[in-house]
Amino acid sequence: MPEIMMREFDLYYWPVPFRGQFLRAILAFAGARWTEHDADEIAALMEQDASDQPVAFMGPPVLVDRERDVALSQMPAIAMYLGERLNLLPPSAEDRARTAKIANDANDVIDELTLDGGREMWTQERWNAFVPRLQKWMHIFEDMGARRGLTAAKGFLLGTPTPGVADIITSILWTTMADHLPKTAALCEEAAPALWGLAGRMQETPQLATLRQKSAADFGDTYCGGEIEHSLHKVAG
């Protein structure tokens, strides 16, 4: 377990447990302290000229590190930065690159899950056609761990002795999805049992268990929001 370090961060992300939830989880796991900004503040920031924003960006999440006066957008970039700052990255260049791959894979999965941010809505036919692809994503995560000794009962995704950013992101991706879209839980448990075991074990850590409870209280049944979520619940809820 990494040493808990109290630092001040500002996180700008919508009040939903979606893309920004990966970053909340990294901060929570490390025992960091952060301030969440509400939807009105985010909207106001998005309307500013790029030169007036803390970092030029199109949409959240945005993280501001007060201590170092650093601002970043894009979930994978922020995840890697927080991993470095909070001592949650593996020591080797190879495993740091694999961590970045996991962050980008997770970003791709949720993009696909929302049909690129709701460009289309889910129908049962469309969902049925997507399930094999979703299972392939599960196999991709499972294979990363299986090559490094991961089982449902023990080990971590990159074969490290302690969990890091890759494990946190992996757990948040699949357990948050399953919490809100219950049909995906059975898919993951069947297609990728070691992955599913890791995801559950990570959620049993006190930091992530507390975050899960707080998110349920703060966000209720909301997952990604909007009409795309409504269509998702019809096919996978």
Side-chain angles (χ1 to χ4, degrees), residues 194-227:
L195 164 63
W196 188 243
L198 169 65
R201 285 188 284 113
M202 289 296 296
Q203 288 299 310
E204 292 172 357
T205 62
Q207 307 96 309
L208 296 189
T210 298
L211 178 66
R212 195 178 197 175
Q213 293 169 359
K214 185 177 187 305
S215 296
D218 290 347
F219 309 134
D221 294 333
T222 303
Y223 180 36
C224 56
E227 290 300 314

Side-chain angles (χ1 to χ4, degrees), residues 41-183:
E41 292 175 287
I42 295 169
L45 196 64
M46 290 174 66
E47 290 174 0
Q48 293 180 1
D49 289 337
S51 59
D52 294 325
Q53 294 172 331
V55 58
F57 77 103
M58 186 64 72
V62 168
L63 180 93
V64 178
D65 183 340
R66 296 178 186 175
E67 184 178 325
R68 293 194 178 179
D69 193 26
V70 171
L72 291 167
S73 64
Q74 298 289 1
M75 187 280 287
I78 298 171
M80 293 301 292
Y81 176 77
L82 287 176
E84 187 73 42
R85 287 283 277 122
L86 301 172
N87 300 316
L88 290 171
L89 290 182
S92 74
E94 296 85 353
D95 280 342
R96 286 172 184 251
R98 292 183 183 110
T99 300
K101 169 193 162 26
I102 291 299
N104 280 280
D105 281 351
N107 229 20
D108 286 349
V109 172
I110 61 175
D111 279 343
E112 292 191 14
L113 193 66
T114 57
L115 292 171
D116 296 324
R119 292 179 185 273
E120 299 177 293
M121 296 296 112
W122 287 105
T123 63
Q124 194 62 58
E125 181 180 16
R126 188 172 284 141
W127 177 259
N128 291 345
F130 174 66
V131 164
R133 183 173 178 87
L134 183 60
Q135 291 173 312
K136 182 174 181 179
W137 274 118
M138 295 167 180
H139 294 155
I140 287 170
F141 279 77
E142 175 100 337
D143 182 74
M144 177 71 81
R147 295 185 190 211
R148 292 158 186 85
L150 178 70
T151 69
K154 64 180 181 179
F156 299 106
L157 200 68
L158 302 181
T160 53
T162 57
V165 167
D167 305 286
I168 296 166
I169 286 176
T170 296
S171 179
I172 291 298
L173 173 63
W174 300 108
T175 61
T176 307
M177 186 189 303
D179 285 346
H180 294 275
L181 304 172
K183 290 182 181 178

Side-chain angles (χ1 to χ4, degrees), residues 12-18 20 24 36-43 46 59-61 219:
Y12 294 83
Y13 190 69
W14 308 116
V16 296
F18 204 55
R24 294 181 182 118
E36 296 256 357
H37 293 268
D38 63 26
D40 289 341
E41 292 175 287
I42 295 169
M46 290 174 66
F219 309 134

